[in-house]
Amino acid sequence: FPVTIYEAISSGLRVIASDIPAVRQIIKDERFLFSNDQESLFKTINYANSNVSAHSDYMDTLKTIITTEYSLRFMHQKYIDLW
């Protein structure tokens, strides 16, 4: 559960991240994921910086999802429903 990514996105930061299964649960758009090599990281940074509007729009969409589906109230209700 990549809490740091949730926190960064919910704080309004633009995020790129390593392409690992836990991160893919949040960031599904491959344009903002990089594999485990410098060239991939470089390409992802360049893409995000060259397409600020698209990146910001996607982050805003993720922020909306995170702040509703992972809010304290929502998570509290999920735990109550579970037990």
Side-chain angles (χ1 to χ4, degrees):
F1 194 76
V3 174
T4 304
I5 293 176
Y6 281 95
E7 290 172 344
I9 293 170
S10 64
S11 296
L13 297 175
R14 293 174 47 224
V15 173
I16 63 168
S18 185
D19 188 3
I20 59 174
V23 172
R24 276 195 168 269
Q25 292 178 5
I26 310 164
I27 301 175
K28 298 177 184 351
D29 191 329
E30 293 180 0
R31 298 175 300 172
F32 307 117
L33 297 171
F34 57 90
S35 57
N36 194 20
D37 63 78
Q38 290 179 337
E39 184 176 337
S40 177
L41 174 60
F42 180 74
K43 286 179 181 179
T44 304
I45 290 170
N46 280 339
Y47 181 84
N49 284 333
S50 298
N51 297 279
V52 173
S53 181
H55 192 206
S56 294
D57 290 346
Y58 185 62
M59 292 297 120
D60 287 344
T61 300
L62 291 179
K63 181 178 179 179
T64 301
I65 292 167
I66 290 168
T67 55
T68 47
E69 294 183 12
Y70 296 96
S71 68
L72 183 58
R73 175 173 282 143
F74 186 81
M75 294 303 290
H76 175 77
Q77 188 60 50
K78 285 178 81 170
Y79 282 118
I80 289 173
D81 294 345
L82 179 66
W83 299 103

